[in-house]
Amino acid sequence: MAAKTPILDFQVAIEKCELCQVEDAQFYCNDCQEEMCNGCKTAHLGSKATRSHNVVSTKLVSGKAENQQNVQNIPEKLYRCTALADEAVCVKCATDIKHENHKFEELETTLYRYQDEISQNILETKLQKEKLQKSIHTIDINVKDYTEVSDKTINEINQQRKQIKSDVDNIADDLVYQVTKRKQQDLKLMEKEKKDLQKIISDHNEYLQSCEEKLKSMKDISNIQHQIKKPQSNLP
């Protein structure tokens, strides 16, 4: 980028303000071509008719009283001292010993060059701004694409989780059904086995009862026979 444009000050010697003729002149109006003091400058720029005028500051030439007497008005042409880049001088001031062996350039040429530099700066800044805006646009597109891909991936994961959960539920339901069915079958078999055993026990009880009845009968018969074998006198 081009170098920053320096501020040029007029190096002239004006003793009194051309407007009030009282205060020392510190400023110069390029539109009115008049020197003025600080108070008159404020009033000048505060007026509706002259508020847009180009008023710049002036620097008095120090050390040479004869130059202060000779320079009474702003010259038509000003020059920039290349050794003192922040000063603009007239032809008479350029002869001061202060500028001995200095090179000068017409202020108008300097201003045109600075205008070109500023225009180039504006162009380069606009190009950089366009590049930055394109970069921001690219980032916005990337953010949108990344967000869409991320959301799609999250949705797919949730769908897979639902499917896996459904599959696990189905497997678990099938296992529960199989266990429940086997439980019912086994309980039915055990109940049948229990009834069979109870039937056997019942049969055993009946057999035992029968045996006991037979044994009792046999005892009764034995007692009768024993009575029969006794002497008849003992019979009733």
Side-chain angles (χ1 to χ4, degrees):
M1 184 176 292
K4 183 177 179 181
T5 302
I7 300 175
L8 299 179
D9 294 326
F10 293 107
Q11 188 175 7
V12 294
I14 301 298
E15 292 184 354
K16 297 298 179 180
C17 172
E18 292 188 56
L19 299 181
C20 69
Q21 298 295 326
V22 176
E23 300 292 337
D24 291 340
Q26 298 176 353
F27 299 92
Y28 177 78
C29 178
N30 286 321
D31 295 277
C32 300
Q33 296 185 355
E34 290 180 334
E35 298 83 6
M36 60 191 68
C37 63
N38 184 53
C40 291
K41 180 210 67 168
T42 303
H44 194 69
L45 294 179
S47 174
K48 184 176 181 181
T50 57
R51 67 178 54 176
S52 61
H53 284 190
N54 181 22
V55 179
V56 297
S57 64
T58 61
K59 289 184 178 180
L60 297 178
V61 178
S62 60
K64 292 295 180 177
E66 59 272 16
N67 285 342
Q68 294 178 358
Q69 295 176 357
N70 291 332
V71 182
Q72 297 297 327
N73 295 301
I74 297 298
E76 293 183 358
K77 282 190 178 183
L78 293 175
Y79 296 86
R80 183 180 71 91
C81 176
T82 57
L84 302 174
D86 61 343
E87 288 190 6
V89 298
C90 64
V91 176
K92 292 182 179 181
C93 292
T95 62
D96 188 271
I97 190 173
K98 175 182 177 181
H99 296 286
E100 186 177 1
N101 297 324
H102 287 180
K103 294 182 179 180
F104 296 91
E105 179 183 54
E106 284 191 14
L107 184 60
E108 186 176 4
T109 302
T110 302
L111 293 177
Y112 283 143
R113 186 174 71 256
Y114 288 152
Q115 286 178 353
D116 292 340
E117 290 178 358
I118 293 174
S119 298
Q120 182 65 27
N121 289 343
I122 292 174
L123 179 60
E124 292 177 0
T125 302
K126 287 183 177 180
L127 291 176
Q128 290 181 358
K129 178 182 176 182
E130 291 178 359
K131 289 181 180 180
L132 293 174
Q133 288 176 337
K134 288 182 180 179
S135 298
I136 292 176
H137 181 67
T138 301
I139 292 175
D140 290 339
I141 293 176
N142 291 338
V143 169
K144 180 182 178 182
D145 294 341
Y146 182 80
T147 301
E148 291 178 352
V149 172
S150 298
D151 291 342
K152 182 179 179 182
T153 302
I154 293 173
N155 290 333
E156 291 176 353
I157 292 173
N158 288 330
Q159 291 296 328
Q160 291 178 358
R161 177 169 60 181
K162 290 180 180 179
Q163 184 61 46
I164 292 172
K165 183 178 179 181
S166 177
D167 294 340
V168 171
D169 289 341
N170 291 334
I171 294 173
D173 290 342
D174 184 65
L175 291 174
V176 170
Y177 172 77
Q178 295 295 334
V179 172
T180 303
K181 183 178 180 181
R182 181 64 180 270
K183 171 188 172 183
Q184 293 174 348
Q185 292 175 350
D186 290 344
L187 289 176
K188 187 175 181 180
L189 289 174
M190 287 187 286
E191 186 67 24
K192 182 178 181 303
E193 183 178 1
K194 177 181 176 182
K195 289 182 179 181
D196 291 340
L197 292 174
Q198 288 176 341
K199 178 67 171 58
I200 293 173
I201 291 173
S202 178
D203 292 341
H204 285 342
N205 289 332
E206 290 179 358
Y207 176 74
L208 289 173
Q209 184 177 2
S210 175
C211 291
E212 290 177 351
E213 290 178 352
K214 288 180 180 181
L215 181 60
K216 182 179 180 182
S217 298
M218 291 178 67
K219 286 181 178 181
D220 291 339
I221 293 174
S222 177
N223 289 331
I224 293 174
Q225 289 179 349
H226 180 72
Q227 293 294 331
I228 293 174
K229 289 180 180 181
K230 287 182 178 183
Q232 293 182 354
S233 58
N234 291 330
L235 290 174

